[in-house]
Amino acid sequence: MSRHPFATDAYEAGFVTGIREDCSLQTNALRNVDVPILMLDNDFKNPDLQRYLSRFREIEPEIGVVGDARSADEAHILVEEARKLKTEYPDSTLIIVPKCHEAIEIIGSADVPGTEIVLGYSMGYSDILASDFSDYSDWRGRRVHLLGASPTKQWEVIQQLTSPTLFGDPPADIVGLDWNGAHKVAYIGEYWSREGWQRSDHLSIRETVKKSLREMRLFWKERGVWPREGTTPVDRLGEAVQVPDDEVFANGMHISEAGDYEGPDDWEDRLDPEDDETIPLEHAIVHQYTDGSIRAFRSETERVYTEYHEGLITP
């Protein structure tokens, strides 16, 4: 997902969050939100390898789509850069996307430190699709990441790459998949479901995307593809949004009861961003103190004033 709040909701639902190298999650102005960038994609329409490598070293993501190889020469160049990255970041999963038949073997057989380079299987709105220059058999026995397309289309490809064949071809190792279509289609009033695309005229854009996320998660869980319990990014790294005890807006007070506000979506519906007294929680300054309280403040001045008068100490 490209930015907050879509990326925030996706992360909290258990998905891996990421950006394209020339984008951001747009959370800099939100003091209470910290969404990790775990996957860094490249701008395949305007590629610049050195720009991408610089961004990779800045962010240090767990997953990186280094680039697209449209020729054998490009494949060799990308493999060499991936080899250098693997020396610096041995635990990162590096993906190179073949855009010609020759690149599949060059990338798939590359000798790099640590885990093998993953082949990116281009789907979705890519200018060159994997099906344009290859057969399913070319990808079997290799580590593959599916790039783009809806879950139903991705599942069809997974079956083609992993199901037993009459020739005994080894299955591909599907190490990952991604898709950012849910929030794009939300703007035209539809969400993805296991029964196909559904109208969402009665929902906000954010809730439309969340409906797609819930359906996608159920779709993959039903097929045994969803990560094991306790292994999703939010399980490993913690929540993206730090929530103080006062679920509405604390104004410096420590309040243990939420009242009739049930959750963040309810707060957003009731809060008026134009009213200084009801600033949404994501914009708050949040601190935890040695007495166990977690407090939200509208401004740094309010925080300093409250801490001084109440003798609060930050651990």
Side-chain angles (χ1 to χ4, degrees):
M1 297 296 173
S2 62
R3 60 183 175 83
H4 175 80
F6 310 125
T8 309
D9 292 336
Y11 174 79
E12 293 184 338
F15 291 87
V16 169
T17 45
I19 59 171
R20 203 173 64 188
E21 58 177 292
D22 58 330
C23 301
S24 73
L25 292 175
Q26 299 181 25
T27 58
N28 291 341
L30 306 176
R31 302 185 181 96
N32 197 32
V33 179
D34 184 14
V35 183
I37 299 175
L38 302 176
M39 179 175 177
L40 184 66
D41 200 357
N42 74 319
D43 183 3
F44 71 86
K45 291 185 177 181
N46 181 32
D48 185 319
L49 181 56
Q50 295 308 313
R51 182 186 65 211
Y52 178 86
L53 295 174
S54 175
R55 191 84 164 115
F56 186 99
R57 291 184 171 97
E58 172 191 342
I59 295 175
E60 300 183 340
E62 295 181 356
I63 305 165
V65 186
V66 181
D68 295 5
R70 300 170 183 271
S71 66
D73 288 342
E74 286 189 350
H76 285 297
I77 292 172
L78 290 170
V79 165
E80 181 57 30
E81 293 300 334
R83 184 178 290 113
K84 296 176 184 177
L85 281 180
K86 289 293 284 185
T87 301
E88 299 176 54
Y89 308 97
D91 297 329
S92 293
T93 297
L94 300 183
I95 302 167
I96 299 178
V97 187
K99 290 293 181 73
C100 67
H101 193 273
E102 296 83 0
I104 297 176
E105 177 61 26
I106 294 171
I107 299 166
S109 62
D111 180 21
V112 297
T115 55
E116 301 172 21
I117 297 175
V118 176
L119 295 169
Y121 189 96
S122 54
M123 300 173 65
Y125 68 96
S126 175
D127 55 340
I128 301 176
L129 303 178
S131 56
D132 293 337
F133 59 86
S134 64
D135 298 320
Y136 292 124
S137 58
D138 297 319
W139 301 82
R140 294 184 70 99
R142 304 185 187 280
R143 302 182 77 221
V144 176
H145 177 100
L146 305 183
L147 293 159
S150 66
T152 46
K153 293 180 180 179
Q154 291 175 333
W155 181 241
E156 291 174 5
V157 172
I158 288 175
Q159 291 176 303
Q160 292 288 348
L161 296 180
T162 62
S163 298
T165 67
L166 294 174
F167 303 102
D169 297 326
D173 178 11
I174 309 297
V175 302
L177 50 87
D178 69 83
W179 182 48
N180 64 0
H183 74 284
K184 293 181 178 179
V185 181
Y187 283 101
I188 62 174
E190 292 185 352
Y191 68 89
W192 185 89
S193 80
R194 289 163 289 170
E195 287 74 41
W197 291 100
Q198 307 291 331
R199 293 299 303 170
S200 60
D201 302 311
H202 59 298
L203 300 174
S204 67
I205 298 297
R206 184 176 187 178
E207 187 57 37
T208 299
V209 175
K210 291 175 75 172
K211 287 274 286 187
S212 290
L213 292 171
R214 288 192 287 267
E215 286 290 312
M216 290 160 59
R217 182 172 58 187
L218 288 170
F219 179 88
W220 292 118
K221 280 187 173 181
E222 290 172 353
R223 287 153 181 78
V225 176
W226 192 256
R228 297 186 307 277
E229 184 176 354
T231 64
T232 64
V234 69
D235 292 328
R236 294 187 288 110
L237 304 174
E239 298 290 337
V241 180
Q242 185 179 359
V243 181
D245 289 347
D246 174 7
E247 278 103 336
V248 183
F249 190 82
N251 288 344
M253 298 175 64
H254 176 59
I255 302 176
S256 59
E257 295 184 1
D260 61 348
Y261 291 84
E262 297 180 356
D265 290 335
D266 198 18
W267 314 333
E268 291 291 342
D269 291 340
R270 300 189 186 201
L271 296 175
D272 179 5
E274 301 300 324
D275 183 350
D276 289 341
E277 295 301 318
T278 60
I279 300 175
L281 178 63
E282 283 90 345
H283 293 271
I285 298 173
V286 177
H287 281 270
Q288 182 173 7
Y289 297 93
T290 53
D291 64 359
S293 65
I294 300 176
R295 306 182 180 220
F297 305 92
R298 289 170 297 181
S299 68
E300 189 68 19
T301 300
E302 183 180 60
R303 181 184 71 82
V304 173
Y305 178 88
T306 304
E307 288 178 347
Y308 176 78
H309 284 276
E310 298 190 22
L312 295 170
I313 301 174
T314 303

